[in-house]
Amino acid sequence: MNRYLPVVGMEVHAELLTKSKMFCRCSTRFGAPPNSQTCPVCLGFPGVLPVTNKRAVEFTIMTALALDCEIARYAHFARKNYFYPDLPKNYQISQYELPLGKNGRLEIEIGGKKKAIRIRRVHLEEDTGRLIHMGDKSYIDFNRSGVPLMEIVTEPDINSPEEAKEFLERLRLLLQYLGVCDGKMEEGSLRCEPNISLYDLETDSWGTKVEIKNLGSIRAVGEALEYEINRQLKILQSGGTIVQETRGWSEERKETFSMRSKEEAHDYRYFPEPDIPPIIVDDEWLREIRERIPELPAEKEERFVKEMGLSKEEAHILVVSLPLARLFEEAISLYPEPKKVANWLISDFQGILNTEKKSIEEVPFRAEFLVEMLKLLDDGTISIRIAKEIFPQVVLEGKAPKKIVEEKGLLQIADEEVIRRIVMEVISEEKEAVEQYLKGKEKAMGFLMGQIMKKTKGKANPSIASQILKEKLEELKR
Ligand SMILES: [Zn+2]
């Protein structure tokens, strides 16, 4: 391996979160019945006129800005000509020599080491329809046809599967923070096609590029690259040559397989799209778009450390999940104790989600519930034990803590009379422990407290109970 360095470049396609399609008014909603969101424009009928979705252009410029790109002040769409059944007009409207953004960068960090991955270009195009193969028949769903698609292309700066995964995680998070793409790889709204070759350090020469398709998750990207590095290495070590091709990834077999060889480059006969006016980005518009960029993950992380007093680790855990960061910010706006809130969210809340194998979006939990519970804890209505006991129900059923506590009769007992009675009961029942305590064995105190908590099912207010217990035992000493 020392002789070869893996060289990976990435092509990422992100479906933009606009309500309507790129050049028509059809809805982009995912999961609608096949071909229910179509019109003559996105079905490629002759004689129709496409109209540019302004918001999609803004989303692309916004992303390019966040990726430190140079923004084109003059750009236009181009026709990329090719025939495929999912593309009824035989060309895709895309961008060619004038992308909206170019020469950017995205910083990644692995084990404390930072590295910038250069972004070659960010451009806007339209998605194609979706082919569905069933048995010996193929079907086409054109709902996806014409959905705004942003393409982000990196320079070949990625040198390991870990870097590739880290890059994708960071990029996906950035797109989610910007609100331009939901990042759902399993629904195909974020798709990634890495190309990989092995650079020969001994002869100082580039290897042959292989492109990988059909990667449904970031984990799969890592696995496919790992597999492909080993496959290419074995071929080179046995004196073979790598074929330039596109390979698919089989999730079942955990291996790549040849899809088609790329012996001749496609000639797409690009030419400027004559039906759509060019895009002119003036200072005013660019400023407006720049102002719409929200706080991005790196800034948020820094603010959580500097202003909230969280550790770098805590801040990082909260920030790498946008829904978790949102929960945290909502909770501290109602209950300004960041450390306490972060602690509950990071350990207890995430712990419950992990055990139940659920994502934040799948549970009806709300920030107000955590705040309500913390207040119940503060005013002594419930004990920490009860809080931990009811929290899973709060998270998984979205039930208000107060309600659970009332329904289950879990309100903490703070009535001194009631506690005194229970303390007396325990003292008369646990003669041995009382005797030991009187002989100076401090430990017996803990045992007696345990008995009180057992009798009250954990509901006795611990500080009141221990105070009364101490008083009673002191009285016995005399
Ligand atoms: Zn349409």
Side-chain angles (χ1 to χ4, degrees):
M1 196 63 210
N2 291 338
R3 178 172 168 181
Y4 298 101
L5 176 71
V7 176
V8 177
M10 205 82 88
E11 245 177 55
V12 178
H13 283 96
E15 279 184 355
L16 296 177
L17 280 173
T18 55
K19 286 204 176 71
S20 57
K21 290 187 181 180
M22 190 60 231
F23 300 112
C24 61
R25 290 178 158 196
C26 292
S27 168
T28 56
R29 192 168 61 86
F30 180 80
N35 297 308
S36 62
Q37 295 171 170
T38 56
C39 75
V41 174
C42 54
L43 287 172
F45 281 31
V48 293
L49 267 184
V51 176
T52 306
N53 183 329
K54 188 179 174 195
R55 172 145 283 210
V57 176
E58 291 177 338
F59 278 178
T60 307
I61 294 176
M62 202 190 254
T63 307
L65 283 170
L67 288 170
D68 276 336
C69 287
E70 298 161 21
I71 307 298
R73 296 313 194 91
Y74 176 90
H76 60 69
F77 287 102
R79 285 189 183 179
K80 179 180 180 179
N81 298 279
Y82 68 97
F83 170 77
Y84 207 67
D86 60 12
L87 188 69
K89 60 184 184 295
N90 289 344
Y91 61 84
Q92 180 190 27
I93 303 177
S94 181
Q95 289 192 282
Y96 188 49
E97 78 276 31
L98 290 173
L100 281 165
K102 61 177 183 181
N103 300 335
R105 65 203 288 280
L106 179 65
E107 198 169 70
I108 60 169
E109 187 177 337
I110 295 175
K113 263 184 86 180
K114 288 184 175 171
K115 176 177 177 178
I117 306 297
R118 287 172 299 156
I119 306 292
R120 183 180 295 169
R121 57 188 280 144
V122 178
H123 77 237
L124 185 55
E125 59 190 32
E126 56 176 344
D127 211 343
T128 61
R130 204 163 66 88
L131 285 170
I132 301 152
H133 306 286
M134 285 165 120
D136 59 352
K137 290 195 173 68
S138 289
Y139 300 85
I140 311 176
D141 177 6
F142 285 109
N143 283 354
R144 203 180 68 179
S145 172
V147 168
L149 197 62
M150 178 169 64
E151 182 173 318
I152 298 165
V153 184
T154 76
E155 297 291 345
D157 290 346
I158 297 164
N159 298 113
S160 68
E162 292 70 43
E163 286 184 9
K165 282 193 287 181
E166 167 75 1
F167 171 79
L168 282 174
E169 296 277 6
R170 295 253 172 175
L171 181 63
R172 177 165 68 176
L173 196 61
L174 185 76
L175 299 178
Q176 288 170 336
Y177 269 71
L178 289 169
V180 301
C181 173
D182 63 20
K184 289 182 183 161
M185 283 186 85
E186 67 285 0
E187 287 181 6
S189 50
L190 189 69
R191 313 195 276 272
C192 152
E193 284 153 24
N195 56 69
I196 170 154
S197 61
L198 295 184
Y199 187 86
D200 190 341
L201 295 164
E202 223 159 77
T203 60
D204 233 352
S205 52
W206 295 93
T208 305
K209 262 202 290 193
V210 167
E211 197 179 271
I212 312 174
K213 278 187 188 285
N214 299 344
L215 296 162
S217 66
I218 291 181
R219 183 184 41 76
V221 172
E223 288 173 349
L225 286 173
E226 197 83 59
Y227 177 89
E228 196 52 29
I229 290 168
N230 286 322
R231 185 188 73 87
Q232 295 186 16
L233 196 60
K234 267 186 213 150
I235 294 174
L236 292 174
Q237 280 169 343
S238 62
T241 47
I242 311 289
V243 182
Q244 186 183 348
E245 61 183 344
T246 300
R247 296 177 73 86
W249 169 248
S250 162
E251 193 61 51
E252 296 79 44
R253 301 196 304 275
K254 299 281 177 204
E255 60 184 36
T256 64
F257 58 90
S258 182
M259 282 173 88
R260 55 176 181 267
S261 69
K262 252 197 179 169
E263 278 159 0
E264 44 201 310
H266 265 292
D267 179 5
Y268 291 117
R269 293 172 292 122
Y270 280 99
F271 64 85
E273 164 64 59
D275 288 341
I276 304 173
I279 302 165
I280 292 153
V281 185
D282 61 21
D283 290 351
E284 177 66 16
W285 194 24
L286 192 59
R287 192 182 51 76
E288 262 174 51
I289 298 170
R290 199 188 292 275
E291 275 170 8
R292 261 183 266 162
I293 296 178
E295 184 182 44
L296 298 176
E299 298 156 21
K300 205 185 267 300
E301 195 171 314
E302 204 180 304
R303 183 167 61 85
F304 281 1
V305 173
K306 282 195 177 145
E307 290 175 27
M308 310 273 174
L310 301 187
S311 71
K312 203 173 172 333
E313 292 70 37
E314 289 169 330
H316 187 72
I317 293 170
L318 292 173
V319 164
V320 292
S321 157
L322 182 55
L324 192 63
R326 279 196 182 133
L327 267 181
F328 172 74
E329 294 198 272
E330 254 175 73
I332 56 163
S333 72
L334 304 164
Y335 186 87
E337 291 205 42
K339 265 284 193 205
K340 227 189 225 179
V341 170
N343 199 22
W344 273 91
L345 287 179
I346 291 170
S347 54
D348 300 90
F349 178 63
Q350 296 237 97
I352 293 163
L353 293 182
N354 288 342
T355 320
E356 299 293 323
K357 295 193 169 56
K358 292 224 154 130
S359 68
I360 297 181
E361 290 92 345
E362 286 171 319
V363 294
F365 179 71
R366 297 207 309 263
E368 300 99 272
F369 295 155
L370 176 59
V371 171
E372 189 179 295
M373 201 181 74
L374 291 172
K375 286 181 178 167
L376 290 176
L377 263 172
D378 286 349
D379 64 20
T381 310
I382 58 170
S383 64
I384 185 83
R385 214 194 92 176
I386 299 294
K388 300 248 174 194
E389 191 183 312
I390 63 166
F391 198 48
Q393 208 183 341
V394 175
V395 171
L396 300 170
E397 294 172 21
K399 220 169 178 180
K402 225 176 205 162
K403 215 165 172 210
I404 300 175
V405 166
E406 278 166 12
E407 279 176 10
K408 288 192 166 177
L410 291 173
L411 286 173
Q412 184 160 288
I413 304 167
D415 185 330
E416 291 192 21
E417 277 313 303
V418 177
I419 294 178
R420 187 164 291 124
R421 208 188 62 229
I422 294 159
V423 168
M424 294 310 288
E425 271 177 37
V426 168
I427 287 177
S428 69
E429 282 166 19
E430 303 292 343
K431 293 211 169 60
E432 206 177 311
V434 172
E435 213 140 287
Q436 284 188 335
Y437 177 81
L438 296 176
K439 278 181 193 158
K441 279 206 169 174
E442 294 279 328
K443 257 192 187 167
M445 174 88 182
F447 172 79
L448 292 167
M449 265 305 284
Q451 295 306 305
I452 293 166
M453 288 318 231
K454 207 168 157 189
K455 259 188 191 292
T456 58
K457 299 191 174 75
K459 291 187 288 183
N461 179 308
S463 63
I464 298 176
S466 83
Q467 203 191 331
I468 293 175
L469 178 62
K470 243 181 226 163
E471 279 170 24
K472 291 286 162 198
L473 290 171
E474 287 305 310
E475 279 172 24
L476 287 173
K477 263 189 184 171
R478 279 183 237 125

